[in-house]
């Protein structure tokens, strides 16, 4: 997404090194300490069968060491035509870009080890990266994984973009999306989303499409607008972590949320029962800013954060700011309810709009997602 500032090179620990971290990184990720499964194990697909004993005829197996049907995720996606296909993905780092188009509905991807640190889909590309035929990729083209189909489910997978500003000081288009999600009824459980700018693009296929998405017990990290887009998205028991920066001398280092909800959509982003932590100094991050993209100047961004722990990294005095002064955050649909932590302290009520108890009754996952109840279906 267009971000009008924060363009300087960034010097910080390599994302590639972090992706390779094993059980020692578990505490920082808010995940259980589960040893990574050995790549040479005799059962790379765990309890999910194997090519010679498939869970169902519609199940395909992916393993980088050749013990499955395919060695890459995209090859399996290409073969999995139609609806209702399942990919069981063995431990490994899959360095590739992946596109699940809109025709491949009701797809399920499962990280076979049931530890998201073991199954990593990652690529190294930014919006400003030159394309072979000329031009640049842009924000959408930077995505490691693009998910367009309705009814998508992922469990125990890491989606990452390990492009680093410090490696490419000549590139100013520093958006680097780990995953762009556009389909309705897209659900993620115990997944990780790793990147810097524009990590998780929770969007829809069109301005008039109100795509519903559900993220449960997930971990998301980044710096600039790292959760953004126009989807109706519920983040339930998720952990958001803001990264440190050494190229900037003063706050803000970045912004956690940048919703771009369509004006006609009554539901934008809902964060519930989560937490926001930080590697950066206290108060150096804003909780959100509204994104009104050029493709939809009538957008009316919506974000509600409730029952969530906000760490000291969030600027409690002024947690919201403008992306463009033409669209002040005060005119958008931003609200909080019963948050805790040092980043949730209310010193100026005008700077922290709060829901009433009555309004909060409509700020629930059931109200946002309607007749779709993924938490009852294993997510």
């Amino acid at each position: 997404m267009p971000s009008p500032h924060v363009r300087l090179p960034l010097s910080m620990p390599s994302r590639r090194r972090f992706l390779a971290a094993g059980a020692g990184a578990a505490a920082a990720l808010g995940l259980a300490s589960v040893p990574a499964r050995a790549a040479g194990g005799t059962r790379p697909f765990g309890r999910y069968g194997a090519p010679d004993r498939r869970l169902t005829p519609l199940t395909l197996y992916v393993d980088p060491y050749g013990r499955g049907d395919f060695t890459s995720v995209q090859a399996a996606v290409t073969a999995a035509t139609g609806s209702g296909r399942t990919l069981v993905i063995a431990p490994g780092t899959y360095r590739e870009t992946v596109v699940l188009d809109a025709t491949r509905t009701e797809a399920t991807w499962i990280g076979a080890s049931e530890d998201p640190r073991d199954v990593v889909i990652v690529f190294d590309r930014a919006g400003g990266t030159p394309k072979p035929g000329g031009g640049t990729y842009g924000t959408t083209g930077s995505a490691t994984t693009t998910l367009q189909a309705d009814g998508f489910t992922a469990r125990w997978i890491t989606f990452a973009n390990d492009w680093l500003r410090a490696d490419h000081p000549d590139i100013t288009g520093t958006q680097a999306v780990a995953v762009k999600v556009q389909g309705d009824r897209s659900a993620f459980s115990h997944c990780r989303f790793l990147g810097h700018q524009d990590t998780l693009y929770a969007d829809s296929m069109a301005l008039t499409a109100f795509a519903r998405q559900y993220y449960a017990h997930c971990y998301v990290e980044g710096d600039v607008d790292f959760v953004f887009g126009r989807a109706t998205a519920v983040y339930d028991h998720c952990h958001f972590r803001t990264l440190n920066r050494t190229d900037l001398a003063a706050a803000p280092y970045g912004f956690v949320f940048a919703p771009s909800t369509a004006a006609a959509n009554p539901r934008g982003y809902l964060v519930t029962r989560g937490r926001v932590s930080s590697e950066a100094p206290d108060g150096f991050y804003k909780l959100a800013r509204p994104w009104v993209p050029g493709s939809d100047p009538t957008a009316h961004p919506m974000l509600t954060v409730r029952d969530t722990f906000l760490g000291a990294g969030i600027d409690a005095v002024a947690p919201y700011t403008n992306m463009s002064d033409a669209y002040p955050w005060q005119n958008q649909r931003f609200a909080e309810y019963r948050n805790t932590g040092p980043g949730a302290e209310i010193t100026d009520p005008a700077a922290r709009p709060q829901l009433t108890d009555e309004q909060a009754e409509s700020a629930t996952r059931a109200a946002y997602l309607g007749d779709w109840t993924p938490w009852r279906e294993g997510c």
Side-chain angles (χ1 to χ4, degrees):
M1 62 179 287
S3 292
H5 58 274
V6 196
R7 298 295 192 185
L8 298 178
L10 179 63
S11 175
M12 63 188 312
S14 170
R15 177 62 48 234
R16 300 177 190 90
R17 184 175 65 191
F18 182 72
L19 288 168
L29 299 178
L31 300 170
S33 182
V34 180
R37 278 64 174 174
T42 58
R43 295 187 61 193
F45 305 108
R47 64 187 178 95
Y48 295 98
D52 60 350
R53 45 187 176 88
R54 295 182 192 278
L55 290 183
T56 72
L58 296 180
T59 301
L60 294 175
Y61 295 86
V62 186
D63 174 64
Y65 302 96
R67 295 164 295 181
D69 299 303
F70 301 94
T71 57
S72 78
V73 177
Q74 184 60 63
V77 168
T78 300
T81 57
S83 183
R85 304 302 294 266
T86 295
L87 303 188
V88 178
I89 307 174
T93 298
Y94 299 85
R95 180 162 288 279
E96 56 180 309
T97 57
V98 182
V99 177
L100 180 79
D101 68 44
T103 68
R104 290 165 165 78
T105 58
E106 312 303 326
T108 298
W109 296 1
I110 300 171
S113 70
E114 301 184 12
D115 182 343
R117 294 168 297 162
D118 294 341
V119 177
V120 179
I121 303 172
V122 60
F123 203 68
D124 175 5
R125 189 156 70 192
T129 300
K131 296 172 69 174
T136 58
Y137 282 97
T139 301
T140 291
S142 76
T144 295
T145 302
T146 302
L147 303 167
Q148 299 178 328
D150 292 345
F152 176 80
T153 298
R155 301 186 183 97
W156 305 298
I157 295 173
T158 292
F159 299 90
N161 190 322
D162 62 358
W163 188 91
L164 295 173
R165 298 181 183 99
D167 293 344
H168 305 277
D170 56 319
I171 291 180
T172 57
T174 56
Q175 304 87 350
V177 176
V179 62
K180 181 172 184 177
V181 188
Q182 297 176 277
D184 184 39
R185 295 179 294 104
S186 298
F188 300 80
S189 176
H190 297 279
C191 289
R192 299 191 306 170
F193 304 91
L194 308 182
H196 290 276
Q197 181 172 341
D198 295 4
T199 304
L200 173 54
Y201 195 169
D203 206 53
S204 70
M205 288 293 287
L207 289 176
T208 56
F210 301 158
R212 295 166 296 174
Q213 300 172 16
Y214 181 65
Y215 301 82
H217 304 281
C218 291
Y219 172 87
V220 194
E221 71 172 25
D223 48 42
V224 178
D225 306 330
F226 63 93
V227 182
F228 74 111
R230 63 174 175 244
T232 293
V234 174
Y235 305 92
D236 190 0
H237 284 100
C238 290
H239 178 187
F240 306 90
R241 187 162 181 81
T242 60
L243 299 175
N244 197 16
R245 305 188 63 168
T246 58
D247 60 310
L248 298 180
Y253 278 3
F255 322 87
V256 182
F257 302 100
S260 58
T261 322
N265 191 348
R267 300 285 186 267
Y269 285 0
L270 172 65
V271 179
T272 178
R273 299 177 292 181
R275 65 182 174 123
V276 179
S277 66
S278 182
E279 295 178 1
D282 292 356
F284 270 50
Y285 271 86
K286 303 293 187 180
L287 184 60
R289 61 179 183 171
W291 177 31
V292 179
S295 60
D296 182 20
T298 67
H300 195 193
M302 182 179 185
L303 167 71
T304 296
V305 181
R306 62 169 299 170
D307 301 301
T308 290
F309 178 86
L310 303 180
I314 296 299
D315 178 359
V317 175
Y320 306 106
T321 191
N322 300 335
M323 184 177 296
S324 167
D325 288 342
Y327 305 99
W329 74 264
Q330 293 90 342
N331 293 349
Q332 312 309 324
R333 295 176 284 179
F334 284 5
E336 301 179 52
Y337 183 71
R338 292 185 176 177
N339 294 322
T340 59
E345 182 180 354
I346 301 174
T347 57
D348 177 6
R352 308 207 71 145
Q354 303 289 311
L355 297 180
T356 65
D357 291 345
E358 182 179 4
Q359 290 170 331
E361 293 178 0
S362 298
T364 65
R365 61 187 184 182
Y368 271 57
L369 302 180
D371 60 357
W372 179 49
T373 56
W375 55 90
R376 296 177 180 170
E377 303 163 9
C379 277

